[in-house]
Amino acid sequence: MNRSRSAFVFVLILALALPALAADRGAKSVDAAWMKAMKANDLEGIMACYAADAELWLPGAPEASGAKAIRALYQGFFAANTVQSVATTDLHYRTSGTLSAAWGEYTLTIVPKAGGSPITMHGRFTEVATLQDGHWVYIADHASADPEAAK
């Protein structure tokens, strides 16, 4: 096989393999992008994690349906708070084709911009992501706060 033909075959194999490699990352890759954006207080980075028609439910907030509502929710959040830290634990991922699900627990510490002590929130999350244009985005993202301890 001549050199140009070998290069063509290599490029073709790579082009066919890349979508499969991206698919293997599933919701894990969008979770990593979301955490990076949260830690940087980066609204545009957050928005890149959501499909245009995504649904978002956050503790203490109304449902945000679609990019415009999701942007407004996060804009309000970042206007009032600075993210100090975010972490996830007990993570589970399942991917099949262009859909991927994830669930686990989160800890988020914020500092109110109006002043006061840092606030740490704990809870659970469930999300569904899909592969769009070569990268994973959330189509459903639901977080809930831990229930209050029994008295």
Side-chain angles (χ1 to χ4, degrees):
M1 191 179 308
N2 67 31
R3 185 170 253 176
S4 63
R5 190 175 208 187
S6 295
F8 173 76
V9 170
F10 174 76
V11 170
L12 180 62
I13 290 170
L14 186 61
L16 294 172
L18 285 177
L21 293 173
D24 288 343
R25 295 174 57 205
K28 190 180 285 191
S29 67
V30 71
D31 281 354
W34 182 88
M35 287 189 59
K36 180 180 177 183
M38 283 296 284
K39 289 176 182 177
N41 295 272
D42 175 11
L43 177 62
E44 295 311 315
I46 290 291
M47 293 309 300
C49 295
Y50 289 90
D53 60 348
E55 301 284 330
L56 172 64
W57 297 272
L58 295 179
E63 175 185 4
S65 182
K68 184 177 178 181
I70 292 169
R71 177 179 291 281
L73 189 64
Y74 277 111
Q75 276 178 325
F77 177 80
F78 287 131
N81 305 287
T82 299
V83 175
Q84 191 172 58
S85 66
V86 61
T88 54
T89 57
D90 194 25
L91 299 172
H92 304 273
Y93 294 98
R94 299 288 186 274
T95 301
S96 180
T98 59
L99 285 178
S100 186
W103 60 96
E105 299 176 24
Y106 70 87
T107 302
L108 176 67
T109 302
I110 58 173
V111 178
K113 289 183 177 177
S117 299
I119 300 166
T120 299
M121 298 170 272
H122 302 273
R124 302 163 295 221
F125 69 91
T126 305
E127 58 205 25
V128 179
T130 190
L131 188 61
Q132 285 185 351
D133 300 324
H135 71 281
W136 289 91
V137 291
Y138 297 129
I139 55 175
D141 185 4
H142 182 244
S144 59
D146 281 341
E148 292 188 30
K151 295 178 182 182

